[in-house]
Amino acid sequence: MEVSFSSELEAKLARLAARWGRDSQALVVEAVERLVDYNEWFQAEVEKGEAAEEAQEIDGDGEDA
């Protein structure tokens, strides 16, 4: 996979990599991994919440009095 960045973003990434003593590519991979992991976690939490809400409606706890 090939990803293109603006020259401004590439410069920022290069400065950050230099400051941290790391390779730019490694920083990008780490950032993408964190993003994907977060999105997977968030989606699972949303699904848990939806399931709990459905269970509450089935049990009758969510009905208006």
Side-chain angles (χ1 to χ4, degrees):
M1 174 187 305
E2 189 173 316
V3 180
S4 299
F5 298 111
S6 68
S7 56
E8 181 181 327
L9 183 55
E10 282 189 26
K12 288 179 181 181
L13 183 59
R15 286 193 301 271
L16 184 62
R19 190 177 316 139
W20 289 357
R22 300 198 43 207
D23 178 68
S24 294
Q25 183 174 344
L27 292 180
V28 171
V29 169
E30 182 180 338
V32 171
E33 286 174 344
R34 287 181 182 203
L35 173 67
V36 170
D37 289 346
Y38 174 80
N39 282 328
E40 288 176 345
W41 169 84
F42 186 81
Q43 185 62 42
E45 293 299 308
V46 167
E47 290 170 5
K48 282 188 217 176
E50 289 172 344
E53 196 172 271
E54 288 175 16
Q56 189 175 29
E57 289 174 5
I58 291 171
D59 291 341
D61 294 339
E63 294 179 9
D64 291 337

